[in-house]
Amino acid sequence: MHDIRAVRADGAGFDAALSRRRVAPAADALLARDGERREALTRLQDLQARRNALSKEVGQGRRTGADTSALETEATALRGEMESLEARAAELDGVVKAVLEALPNTLAEDVPDGADESANVVVHHWGEKRDLGFPALQHFELGEKLGQMDFERAARLAGSRFTVLRGGLARLERALGQFMLDLHTEKNGYTEVAVPLLVNSATAYGTGQLPKFSEDLFQTTDGRWLIPTAEVPLTNLAAGEIIPVAQLPIRMTALSDCFRSEAGAAGRDTRGMLRQHQFRKVELVSITTPEDSAAEHERMTRCAEQVLEALDLPYRRMLLCSGDTGFSATKTYDLEVWLPGQQAWREISSCSNCRDFQGRRMNARFRAADGKTLGFVHTLNGSGIAVGRAMIAVMENHQQADGSIRLPSVLLPYFGGQEILAA
């Protein structure tokens, strides 16, 4: 959410910042409606002052027995005009708010310009692509060969883009989530939180899912929404709060099921479990100060990278360009993992700094050390990481010639020492 005061201060600069997102100029229209609203409010204040004066005059006249009918007639007329102005000011306020809430966040200066993912910039690589010594299978081929990944029965149960896991692969999914939570809570300073999987519209609005992206969500018959990521409830824990600066940063993590309609994904990744309606993800969320959010972004991304390194998965960090950066983010790093079966890099984590964009929508503030000054918090979120995609990467990178999977050493404690997943 943008601050209308920033638009008043520099409308041209506001439009220039949004033009990097290929957003049409909005400042003139915003300022015209905002100016009209402010004029209505000023007129309303003048009328209120006159009405207060009339009230005193009527009271004095009645006490002295004077004729106050003309004054009362004027007061009645003022009341009607004031009600009309209040309605108009509220209408204009809604118009301004609707425009502001539909505009994406402005971008950090170091975000590269570009129309789509082809302009994203590789920041660094970790690990080497493996020479397996045999033709690599994709994860769904491995899963079906193991007899532990069932798409046919999942489709009968729920339709397309669902998966049933059995045996070792079901355990692998559980082990990966547990390993990530243990790493982030025990070594990276995050507090584990169990969150609702259903949220109300105000909560979905607070992180920017509503109103713009309603078609990407699943809504229940009572008006609540299935979460697309635990970012939504975790970040909104700060909604409406005033947090003492000494309590910042707040770092939280959650393992949750996530639900996405994949409305724009028709025909994409229809085989396997790369793009599902239901999946599990370990989410990282930080609530911090404006001064610390850039450093927190680097820290959070590094925490996600540690997961991939521990699982011995080659990856690269990408700085997303202007055309590929999400609605609420000012800057995003994607981590892409190498999948030998696909012979392709695929996103496995996305870590974003939203600055005060979500803080304004949620009215989440912090109180400075002076005990008086208030400011909007900066919020950050990241995948720490997507469990299903981590499982895909482990399967494809650690597959053996016979179709079995060699487990990364960090997962062995979750398997009682078992080293190989086989049929």
Side-chain angles (χ1 to χ4, degrees):
M1 189 77 168
H2 296 284
D3 186 352
I4 188 62
R5 290 174 296 183
V7 187
R8 294 175 195 148
D10 185 8
F14 182 77
D15 282 343
L18 288 178
S19 70
R20 298 186 62 200
R21 297 254 200 188
R22 291 171 170 75
V23 174
D28 286 349
L30 270 170
L31 292 175
R33 300 289 80 76
D34 178 57
E36 190 178 346
R37 181 185 67 87
R38 296 170 78 188
E39 287 177 5
L41 291 174
T42 299
R43 174 61 178 161
L44 189 60
Q45 290 174 349
D46 292 342
L47 293 180
Q48 183 63 58
R50 175 56 182 158
R51 189 179 177 193
N52 291 341
L54 285 172
S55 179
K56 290 181 180 178
E57 290 181 44
V58 169
Q60 291 171 353
R62 286 177 177 174
R63 285 194 294 273
T64 62
D67 182 6
T68 61
S69 58
L71 296 175
E72 292 176 23
T73 299
E74 183 182 355
T76 299
L78 286 180
R79 185 183 309 114
E81 186 178 354
M82 290 173 66
E83 289 174 353
S84 177
L85 284 169
E86 286 173 348
R88 181 58 178 158
E91 178 186 356
L92 290 166
D93 188 59
V95 170
V96 171
K97 182 174 181 289
V99 174
L100 289 174
E101 69 187 11
L103 295 172
N105 201 352
T106 53
L107 298 168
E109 292 183 0
D110 58 341
V111 171
D113 289 323
D116 53 38
E117 61 184 16
S118 64
N120 294 343
V121 175
V122 179
V123 177
H124 70 77
H125 286 267
W126 185 91
E128 300 294 330
K129 300 176 184 177
R130 286 182 177 78
D131 179 6
L132 298 176
F134 56 86
L137 298 180
Q138 295 195 57
H139 71 280
F140 51 85
E141 297 170 314
L142 290 164
E144 291 174 338
K145 188 172 183 179
L146 290 169
Q148 298 173 8
M149 188 176 285
D150 192 334
F151 300 102
E152 180 181 348
R153 288 180 175 83
R156 293 210 305 259
L157 293 173
S160 62
R161 297 194 187 276
F162 290 92
T163 309
V164 170
L165 300 176
R166 293 189 178 92
L169 289 184
R171 188 173 186 177
L172 176 58
E173 183 185 50
R174 174 163 54 91
L176 283 164
Q178 186 65 55
F179 160 67
M180 295 174 202
L181 283 179
D182 289 345
L183 175 68
H184 294 314
T185 57
E186 295 173 8
K187 295 186 178 180
N188 292 332
Y190 289 85
T191 299
E192 183 177 354
V193 182
V195 295
L197 302 185
L198 286 167
V199 297
N200 57 33
S201 293
T203 300
Y205 173 87
T207 44
Q209 275 70 33
L210 292 181
K212 190 174 179 63
F213 301 105
S214 59
E215 68 174 11
D216 296 326
L217 307 179
F218 288 109
Q219 188 175 23
T220 63
T221 55
D222 67 357
R224 287 178 285 194
W225 305 84
L226 287 166
I227 63 170
T229 163
E231 169 207 346
V232 177
L234 284 176
T235 307
N236 274 276
L237 290 173
E241 301 283 333
I242 298 177
I243 305 168
V245 70
Q247 295 180 15
L248 300 178
I250 297 171
R251 299 182 177 119
M252 298 171 285
T253 184
L255 169 61
S256 75
D257 286 313
C258 306
F259 305 88
R260 295 183 185 173
S261 70
E262 296 294 344
R268 298 175 59 192
D269 300 315
T270 55
R271 290 293 309 273
M273 54 180 296
L274 263 168
R275 197 178 296 275
Q276 300 273 278
H277 289 313
Q278 176 183 330
F279 58 95
R280 286 181 182 162
K281 183 157 66 82
V282 172
E283 187 72 10
L284 305 175
V285 163
S286 293
I287 312 293
T288 190
T289 61
E291 294 77 16
D292 293 337
S293 67
E296 187 69 16
H297 190 204
E298 299 296 326
R299 182 189 188 277
M300 174 180 285
T301 307
R302 183 67 197 128
C303 289
E305 289 175 340
Q306 290 172 11
V307 174
L308 300 176
E309 292 172 13
L311 296 172
D312 196 16
L313 299 173
Y315 71 87
R316 62 185 188 181
R317 185 196 289 201
M318 309 292 292
L319 173 58
L320 300 195
C321 72
S322 57
D324 203 28
T325 301
F327 177 80
S328 295
T330 189
K331 179 178 178 180
T332 297
Y333 290 121
D334 271 7
L335 302 183
E336 297 181 343
V337 68
W338 176 252
L339 298 183
Q342 286 196 14
Q343 287 291 294
W345 295 99
R346 297 304 299 261
E347 178 203 336
I348 197 169
S349 174
S350 188
C351 298
S352 298
N353 185 355
C354 299
R355 293 185 178 166
D356 65 357
F357 188 81
Q358 293 176 328
R360 290 182 181 279
R361 294 175 79 97
M362 300 184 303
N363 193 31
R365 295 171 291 172
F366 69 94
R367 191 182 302 278
D370 63 11
K372 299 178 181 178
T373 306
L374 297 179
F376 288 102
V377 299
H378 279 206
T379 62
L380 302 96
N381 64 82
S383 308
I385 55 179
V387 175
R389 293 198 173 195
M391 183 171 70
I392 290 169
V394 167
M395 292 173 68
E396 292 198 13
N397 280 277
H398 298 300
Q399 62 182 289
Q400 308 297 298
D402 62 358
S404 62
I405 312 296
R406 180 172 294 279
L407 294 169
S409 59
V410 293
L411 297 183
L412 299 187
Y414 304 94
F415 278 84
Q418 178 184 343
E419 297 182 354
I420 301 290
L421 285 185

